[in-house]
C-alpha cells in the first residue's frame, strides 16, 4: 500500500500539492492508499471507497489504518480497484490534455 501521512493544512512548510503525484501513482498502479485528510485529496479520493483517510499528524490513526488493511485483504483489493477506476476515468494525461485544451481554446476566444 501507499501511505501519505501529511501535516495539517496550516503547517507552514511544504505545499498543498504534497503527495499528489504519489497518490496518482498509487491509483494508476492499483495500490491501496492511506492518505491524510487534506482538502486537496478530496478531489481525488472517495473516503473508504478508494482510499482510507486519516487525520493529519496522527500516527495512531495511520497505524490503525495499516492494521485494517493487513487484516482485511478484500478491503485493500477493493480500495485499489476503485482507485484504479477513478484514475482511468478522470486523471490520466489524456484527461489533463483535454481540460487544458478547453482552457486554451476559451482563452483564445473559442
Amino acid at each position: 500500500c501507499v501511505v501519505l501521512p501529511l501535516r495539517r493544512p496550516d503547517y507552514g512548510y511544504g505545499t498543498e500539492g504534497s503527495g499528489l503525484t504519489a497518490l496518482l501513482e498509487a491509483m494508476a498502479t492499483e495500490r491501496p492508499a492511506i492518505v491524510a485528510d487534506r482538502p486537496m485529496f478530496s478531489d481525488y479520493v472517495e473516503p473508504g471507497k478508494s482510499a482510507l483517510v486519516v487525520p493529519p499528524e496522527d500516527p495512531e490513526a495511520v497505524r490503525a489504518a495499516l492494521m485494517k488493511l493487513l487484516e482485511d485483504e478484500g478491503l485493500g483489493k477493493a480500495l485499489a480497484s476503485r482507485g484504479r477506476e477513478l484514475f482511468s476515468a478522470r486523471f490520466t494525461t489524456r484527461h489533463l490534455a483535454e481540460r487544458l485544451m478547453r482552457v486554451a481554446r476559451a482563452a483564445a476566444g473559442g
Side-chain angles (χ1 to χ4, degrees):
C1 74
V2 175
V3 181
L4 301 168
L6 301 181
R7 296 220 179 237
R8 66 193 183 280
D10 62 343
Y11 186 73
Y13 300 98
T15 67
E16 178 57 23
S18 295
L20 189 53
T21 300
L23 173 62
L24 290 171
E25 288 175 353
M27 293 169 77
T29 59
E30 207 164 337
R31 300 289 184 259
I34 299 170
V35 301
D37 189 7
R38 295 288 303 267
M40 64 141 181
F41 287 146
S42 66
D43 289 337
Y44 295 86
V45 301
E46 298 169 338
K49 294 181 182 176
S50 65
L52 296 179
V53 179
V54 297
E57 299 184 33
D58 188 340
E60 281 304 311
V62 172
R63 180 189 174 286
L66 281 167
M67 293 305 298
K68 194 173 188 177
L69 285 178
L70 288 172
E71 293 168 357
D72 186 348
E73 187 176 330
L75 174 62
K77 288 181 178 182
L79 293 172
S81 178
R82 181 63 184 146
R84 175 65 188 173
E85 288 172 10
L86 287 174
F87 178 83
S88 295
R90 298 172 42 197
F91 304 122
T92 65
T93 53
R94 179 176 297 274
H95 292 103
L96 175 61
E98 289 169 358
R99 287 191 295 271
L100 288 174
M101 284 302 297
R102 286 194 296 268
V103 171
R105 284 188 181 122

